[in-house]
Amino acid sequence: MDNQFKAVLDSKITISQLMLPSYTNFSGKIHGGYILSLLDQIAFACASKYSGNYCVTASVDTVDFLNPIEVGELVTMKALVNYVGNSSMIVGIRVQSENIQTGVIKHCNSSYFTMVAKDSDGKNTKVPGLILRNETEIRRFYNCLKIIEARKDKQHYEANFDFGSEEALKGLSNYNVKVDLG
């Protein structure tokens, strides 16, 4: 196989972990911060496996908490590289929990982490191209292009919008805020 390209499945990482009482928040559910830590670990493992390099988290574009996770459930995280740039990769992660006693499986979270490959000097380094082998992989790649486009639109908006203008301040009247600049 061409070393300059790798298949999406070459990046696949799956981890499972039993949720313990020590991972809970004040309401007795598994703490979102704990899940975020696991997400960052699997994103790192997935991107590093794919690129063959140490990787760092550049951004977390989406974290959608869909269902709570209970103590005693088995959480499984599946990660794949969905997009590659020059040195960056977008890793898609799906989180499921399984009630071990009933066998009921819930989709709990979907996340997208942008990871950057680094060389031994800490400089960005090129990653292999991505081989897309089916419509699902093509769909995921295009969805990542939308994530990148949205990020660029937000940066452009913030750089060009006058937040202190009369129009901007008037627009806030539609929201549950009070502007007190004095």
Side-chain angles (χ1 to χ4, degrees):
M1 183 168 80
D2 187 347
N3 289 347
Q4 295 179 349
F5 288 86
K6 287 185 172 181
V8 170
L9 287 179
D10 291 332
S11 71
K12 186 175 183 177
I13 296 279
T14 302
I15 61 170
S16 295
Q17 186 168 345
L18 184 65
M19 294 295 105
L20 303 176
S22 60
Y23 307 152
T24 59
N25 59 24
F26 291 109
S27 67
K29 308 297 182 194
I30 300 304
H31 195 287
Y34 180 72
I35 298 301
L36 284 170
S37 174
L38 291 177
L39 288 167
D40 194 47
Q41 290 174 40
I42 195 170
F44 167 82
C46 179
S48 295
K49 177 182 178 183
Y50 181 81
S51 69
N53 291 285
Y54 178 79
C55 294
V56 297
T57 305
S59 70
V60 180
D61 295 291
T62 305
V63 179
D64 293 325
F65 291 101
L66 306 172
N67 287 295
I69 300 171
E70 307 289 340
V71 170
E73 290 184 331
L74 184 65
V75 167
T76 300
M77 297 185 176
K78 298 176 182 179
L80 291 167
V81 170
N82 293 167
Y83 166 90
V84 298
N86 290 317
S87 62
S88 67
M89 297 152 279
I90 297 179
V91 175
I93 308 166
R94 180 181 173 92
V95 180
Q96 294 182 166
S97 68
E98 178 180 356
N99 181 309
I100 294 172
Q101 294 172 326
T102 65
V104 173
I105 295 174
K106 298 181 294 190
H107 178 204
C108 298
N109 186 299
S110 291
S111 303
Y112 296 92
F113 280 60
T114 299
M115 308 298 289
V116 176
K118 299 289 186 177
D119 65 17
S120 58
D121 295 323
K123 305 251 190 267
N124 291 3
T125 189
K126 189 165 177 46
V127 299
L130 195 59
I131 301 169
L132 305 175
R133 291 205 162 123
N134 56 54
E135 284 187 32
T136 298
E137 292 174 357
I138 293 167
R139 176 182 52 80
R140 289 175 178 159
F141 188 89
Y142 271 108
N143 286 342
C144 290
L145 293 176
K146 288 294 187 189
I147 290 170
I148 294 165
E149 184 181 323
R151 188 184 311 140
K152 287 179 182 175
D153 286 348
K154 181 179 181 263
Q155 289 169 347
H156 177 76
Y157 175 78
E158 288 200 7
N160 295 296
F161 186 75
D162 182 359
F163 294 96
S165 70
E166 187 176 325
E167 177 188 357
L169 295 174
K170 184 178 177 188
L172 292 174
S173 66
N174 298 320
Y175 299 95
N176 189 21
V177 298
K178 178 180 178 182
V179 178
D180 184 1
L181 299 176

